[in-house]
């Protein structure tokens, strides 16, 4: 048996070759690594230095503070309150489901909050934009998120100023509210100016004056860690706050009217004859605008949307009602202007009126009529329908329509009220175009009573009464008085209404004052404890038609089928300071519903001197 002996020399050579080969391989790798390092450190130094700096230092937009809104006496109506929100930058989150689960275990999340957040993540947004997940965190929730910061990359607590409306429902429709920007709005708005903004004005003053209230965005250069959290602010360019608005609205009148409407549907608008300033603009029922600031819940919104009282609907600017007999002072002036009658001419009122070759009987509201001697003054005081049937037939629509349009009917005459409807002042052309039929004499008779096709908004009625109180001097309705201390000017002021005989203004004033003061006046109940002179006119508008030979029976009708009650007025008669229009849906008697609400506002404005200390009133 033989054994092979190892050859030490051969093994040594083999080992040396392998060592040289390994050393060469290592050398090549070191050269490659060194070359790569040199490429990155030298050739690409500027590029990666910039990227590194961008990862460490970021330029972030700073949202501006939204301008404040005050009433005419300095009462704060829209403010900004500090609040903490939980936000997430989706690009910094590796596992969104895991992150949301951890957040839920710490601070609690509703299904609606999570669903809304995910919709925003998947919708149009800017890269690395922080998406709000939960609003109005309390101190305990903030502490839990802070303690678990390490486990929540991309999640942060942000302090921000959030819009708040201290008077809630009282100013909801007129002020409007701010809300979360939707996808369509983000595409429409300036992406630079609104880069850090999440909420914009949705309706009302907040929307109309969005440009003034928003302000200009600022920027800050910050140092962040690997998780994107701010370690230090290096530089800052402060944003420019939005402009403050001082309104013509009076919080005392607004709240008084809202309280008077409790349990009723309707609207009231009050204005200043000398300026056109809107003193009050109420729509009842209302809603809490604060619900919309951070996004209203589905249940809360559905409750408002599906309510039979339609609280989201702005009756003051978009509610279209037959104006009823509130039109009679304007139409009466039209009769005088055309010269078809005068203050002395009398007619007999048997309680009805008929046109020649027409079988229809046009009934007066008073079945037995108003007597044998009814002139224009008594026709206004007692609201005699038969008188207006006769005179409107003589005058004709071709004379009435252009005269009534001079008071603003059929138009949106608001200076800064963008959502107001023009309602409807019909004429021959309108009926031919939209009804495909000719205009009949009966249509003119209906219009003379503010019925038929005619519709008006409470804002239009108040505007017309405002022009009337100013004896034809036009001032368009305006909500804002001052923008950062500068008055709002009207560069397109309508032409004043000049009538042939200016004495007719005062004579019609006396007739309208008789509506309250005369023992036969339709609003005589308002004269109780009256300390100043009011000129007014009641009106009733049918909701459902009544057959020719039937009488109006309130008890036989459902509450929502009963007549609307309307009232227009101004005071004091000798030097008007305020004009008002009120509508109570299904209120029936204006003298007991719409009239007292209007008088309450008149009393408060004329008899009470407001505090001007800029603090909330003790209502």
């Amino acid at each position: 048996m033989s054994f092979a002996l190892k050859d030490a020399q051969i093994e040594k050579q083999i080992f040396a070759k392998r060592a040289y080969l390994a050393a060469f391989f290592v050398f090549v790798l070191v050269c490659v690594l060194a070359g790569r390092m040199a490429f990155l450190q030298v050739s690409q130094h500027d590029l990666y230095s910039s990227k590194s700096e961008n990862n460490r230092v970021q330029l972030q937009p700073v949202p501006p503070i939204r301008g404040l809104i005050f009433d005419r006496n300095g009462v704060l109506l829209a403010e900004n309150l500090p609040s903490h929100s939980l936000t997430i930058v989706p690009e910094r989150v590796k596992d969104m489901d895991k992150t949301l689960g951890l957040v839920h275990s710490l601070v609690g999340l509703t299904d609606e909050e999570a669903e809304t957040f995910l919709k925003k993540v998947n919708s149009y947004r800017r890269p690395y934009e922080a998406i709000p997940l939960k609003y109005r965190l309390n101190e305990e929730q903030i502490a839990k998120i802070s303690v678990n910061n390490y486990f929540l990359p991309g999640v942060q607590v942000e302090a921000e100023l959030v819009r708040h409306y201290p008077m809630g429902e009282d100013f909801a429709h007129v002020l409007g509210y701010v809300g979360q920007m939707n996808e369509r709005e983000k595409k429409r708005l300036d992406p630079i100016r609104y880069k850090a903004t999440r909420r914009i004005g949705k309706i009302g003053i907040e929307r109309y004056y969005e440009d003034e209230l928003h302000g200009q965005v600022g920027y800050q250069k910050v140092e962040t860690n690997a998780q994107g959290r701010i370690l230090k602010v290096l530089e800052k360019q402060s944003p420019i706050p939005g402009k403050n608005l001082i309104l013509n609205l009076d919080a005392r009148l607004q709240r008084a009217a809202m309280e008077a409407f409790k349990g009723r549907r309707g609207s009231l608008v009050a204005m200043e004859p000398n300026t056109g300033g809107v003193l009050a603009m109420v729509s009842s029922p209302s809603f809490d605008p604060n619900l919309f600031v951070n996004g209203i819940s589905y249940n809360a919104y559905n409750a408002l949307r599906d309510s039979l009282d339609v609280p989201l609907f702005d009756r003051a600017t978009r509610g279209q009602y037959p104006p009823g007999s509130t039109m009679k002072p304007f139409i009466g002036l039209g009769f005088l202007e055309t010269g078809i009658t005068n203050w002395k001419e009398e007619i007999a009122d048997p309680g009805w009126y008929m046109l020649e070759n027409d079988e229809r009987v046009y009934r007066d509201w008073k079945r037995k009529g108003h007597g044998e001697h009814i002139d224009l003054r008594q026709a206004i005081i007692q609201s005699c329908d038969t008188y207006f049937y006769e005179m409107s037939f003589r005058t004709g629509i071709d004379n009435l329509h252009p005269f009534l349009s001079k008071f603003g009917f059929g138009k949106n005459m608001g200076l800064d009220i963008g959502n107001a409807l023009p309602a409807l002042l019909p004429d021959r052309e309108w009926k031919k175009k939209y009804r495909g039929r000719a205009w009949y004499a009966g249509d003119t008779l209906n219009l003379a009573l503010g019925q038929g096709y005619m519709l008006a908004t409470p804002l239009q009625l108040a505007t017309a009464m405002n022009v009337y109180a100013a004896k034809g001097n036009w001032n368009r309705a305006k909500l804002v008085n001052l923008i950062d201390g500068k008055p709002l000017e009207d560069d397109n002021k309508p032409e004043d209404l000049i009538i042939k005989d200016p004495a007719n203004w005062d004579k019609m004033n006396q007739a309208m004052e008789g509506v309250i003061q005369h023992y036969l006046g339709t609003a005589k109940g308002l004269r109780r404890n009256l300390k100043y002179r009011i000129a007014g006119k009641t009106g009733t508008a049918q909701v459902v038609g009544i057959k020719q030979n039937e009488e109006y029976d309130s008890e036989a009708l459902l509450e929502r089928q009963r007549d609307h009650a309307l009232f227009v007025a101004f005071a004091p008669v000798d030097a008007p300071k305020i004009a008002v229009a009120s509508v109570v849906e299904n209120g029936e008697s204006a003298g007991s519903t719409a009239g007292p609400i209007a008088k309450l506002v008149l009393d408060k404005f004329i008899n009470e001197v407001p505090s001007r200390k800029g603090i909330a009133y003790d209502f």
Side-chain angles (χ1 to χ4, degrees), residues 548-566:
Q548 282 277 306
N549 298 321
E550 290 185 0
E551 292 189 18
Y552 177 82
D553 185 358
S554 175
E555 298 299 325
L557 294 172
L558 297 174
E559 189 268 340
R560 292 177 185 270
Q561 294 178 334
R562 296 171 185 170
D563 292 346
H564 295 326
L566 304 95

Side-chain angles (χ1 to χ4, degrees), residues 100-158:
L100 292 178
L102 181 54
V103 171
H104 175 65
S105 65
L106 293 173
V107 299
L109 288 177
T110 65
D111 292 340
E112 190 172 326
E113 287 173 333
E115 182 180 346
T116 301
F117 169 77
L118 292 174
K119 283 183 178 179
K120 292 179 180 179
V121 171
N122 296 323
S123 65
Y124 171 84
R125 60 184 181 83
R126 304 177 185 94
Y128 288 89
E129 179 182 0
I131 308 298
L133 175 61
K134 191 176 184 68
Y135 297 98
R136 295 179 181 172
L137 300 179
N138 56 39
E139 293 183 2
E140 181 181 352
Q141 291 171 325
I142 295 173
K144 288 181 178 180
I145 294 296
S146 300
V147 170
N148 291 275
N149 242 346
Y150 179 79
F151 305 102
L152 295 169
V155 179
Q156 55 193 10
V157 175
E158 291 187 3

